[in-house]
Amino acid sequence: MDVWDEEYREPTADERSARRTLAVAIALINAATPLATVELRRDLYPDMGDAAFRKAFQRDRVRLAASGVVVEPAGERDGEQTWHVNEERSFVRENPLTPEDALVLDCMLLPMAADPDFPFAHDLRLALTKIDRSFNDTSNVRLPPTAKRGNNTLTRLEDCMVRGHGVQVRYKRANGTTTERVLLPYGLFVLRDQTYLVACVATPNAGSLGDPHTYLVSRIESIRELPRTSYAIPPDFDVREFILPPYQIGPTIYTATFFVPQDRIADIREKLGQNGSWDFSGERTLLSTDVSSEEAAVAWAISQGARPLSPDSLVHAWRNRLIAALGGDADD
């Protein structure tokens, strides 16, 4: 049943088409393995004949591609074509929402989120809640579509974040011991194939909260939602400040200086957050940042278009990597 107005009315053809397109995206993004054509047709296009299904599925893929979700063939299984979302080509850039954009999405999608017959109403409510909370701010959940597949802990953490409920977790420390903690989830991110939670430890006896810390989600052995422990994520919290670049994982070995071209400054500043200091006083823009892995710093500099200026060992390693990539002989 559709909850559009006080009285029920049949959805229009455009509304049915939009629902189906959204359902295709959610089904493929949440699928642990590629879905076969027969599965998609059975679940999402049950009333269509062969020709109508092929045309509708093609139109839906075009609409999704225009929205940043690229659906592509993923080979065959038991003689049947399968489909998946190409994650490298999808969601290439974040598109900040203005309050006006968010209001339009609310007006269009809230009736679907309130419809008990829509199978993905819960997922849509979570998405709309995040949009309403942040509008044009960057989301504090920075996870690729694959991160939550089969990971019930991540799903429950995200649900609690949206509701503003604390969680009681059993957490295994790096030394192998375990501890029980009440956490207030602030953000989630993935780094080097590991998923991390940024959260505060709730200290109800003291009536205050500690500073946010980072926890490895894979070490959470159990989780329980605490509806009576409510909280709000501070408006100035940005999970990007907790995402270390690859070259900063581990003990610091030295501080490096990089020259950053003008056209790369904005992108690199956004990615690094507070992990570095900038000098705009001279003719060249310089970035100083702590380094824990020289090899990772070289790879990062090349991928970002930055040029190391110091220390000499980093400059030497960077130059040798470039020479080797061009087929030349590296220095000793």
Side-chain angles (χ1 to χ4, degrees), residues 109-160:
L109 298 178
L110 274 175
M112 295 171 62
D115 184 352
D117 293 331
F118 182 55
F120 302 108
H122 173 70
D123 297 298
L124 184 55
R125 282 196 298 272
L126 291 179
L128 289 176
T129 302
K130 285 189 287 186
I131 288 172
D132 291 338
R133 186 182 66 208
S134 58
F135 283 124
N136 60 335
D137 293 334
T138 302
S139 171
N140 285 316
V141 179
R142 304 178 67 84
L143 303 175
T146 54
K148 290 187 289 183
R149 290 178 183 171
N151 193 327
N152 186 53
T153 298
L154 269 181
T155 301
R156 296 179 67 184
L157 283 171
E158 188 171 2
D159 285 352
C160 291

Side-chain angles (χ1 to χ4, degrees), residues 106-305:
D106 267 346
C107 293
M108 292 176 60
L109 298 178
L110 274 175
M112 295 171 62
D115 184 352
D117 293 331
F118 182 55
F120 302 108
H122 173 70
D123 297 298
L124 184 55
R125 282 196 298 272
L126 291 179
L128 289 176
T129 302
K130 285 189 287 186
I131 288 172
D132 291 338
R133 186 182 66 208
S134 58
F135 283 124
N136 60 335
D137 293 334
T138 302
S139 171
N140 285 316
V141 179
R142 304 178 67 84
L143 303 175
T146 54
K148 290 187 289 183
R149 290 178 183 171
N151 193 327
N152 186 53
T153 298
L154 269 181
T155 301
R156 296 179 67 184
L157 283 171
E158 188 171 2
D159 285 352
C160 291
M161 280 181 58
V162 170
R163 299 185 184 112
H165 291 168
V167 292
Q168 183 169 342
V169 301
R170 182 176 175 83
Y171 187 78
K172 186 175 182 178
R173 299 187 181 98
N175 62 8
T177 62
T178 59
T179 181
E180 294 276 348
R181 295 178 181 175
V182 175
L183 300 178
L184 309 182
Y186 278 14
L188 292 160
F189 65 89
V190 169
L191 181 64
R192 285 193 170 183
D193 298 324
Q194 293 283 0
T195 305
Y196 295 87
L197 165 69
V198 181
C200 278
V201 177
T203 56
N205 293 335
S208 62
L209 306 175
D211 293 330
H213 292 278
T214 303
Y215 301 88
L216 194 58
V217 171
S218 61
R219 290 184 183 160
I220 297 178
E221 298 182 339
S222 65
I223 178 172
R224 180 167 64 90
E225 183 175 359
L226 303 175
R228 295 185 179 181
T229 304
S230 60
Y231 71 101
I233 299 175
D236 59 348
F237 174 80
D238 190 338
V239 74
R240 290 175 298 178
E241 297 179 5
F242 292 81
I243 304 177
L244 294 175
Y247 60 80
Q248 286 188 339
I249 298 176
T252 299
I253 57 175
Y254 54 64
T255 298
T257 302
F258 297 88
F259 160 65
V260 179
Q262 189 69 29
D263 62 344
R264 297 294 301 140
I265 293 174
D267 186 50
I268 292 178
R269 289 190 75 182
E270 179 181 3
K271 290 178 179 177
L272 290 184
Q274 303 298 317
N275 296 300
S277 60
W278 294 82
D279 182 359
F280 299 98
S281 61
E283 295 181 358
R284 299 184 300 177
T285 300
L286 304 181
L287 165 66
S288 296
T289 179
D290 292 339
V291 169
S292 301
S293 167
E294 187 165 84
E295 181 180 359
V298 168
W300 176 86
I302 293 173
S303 68
Q304 298 301 316

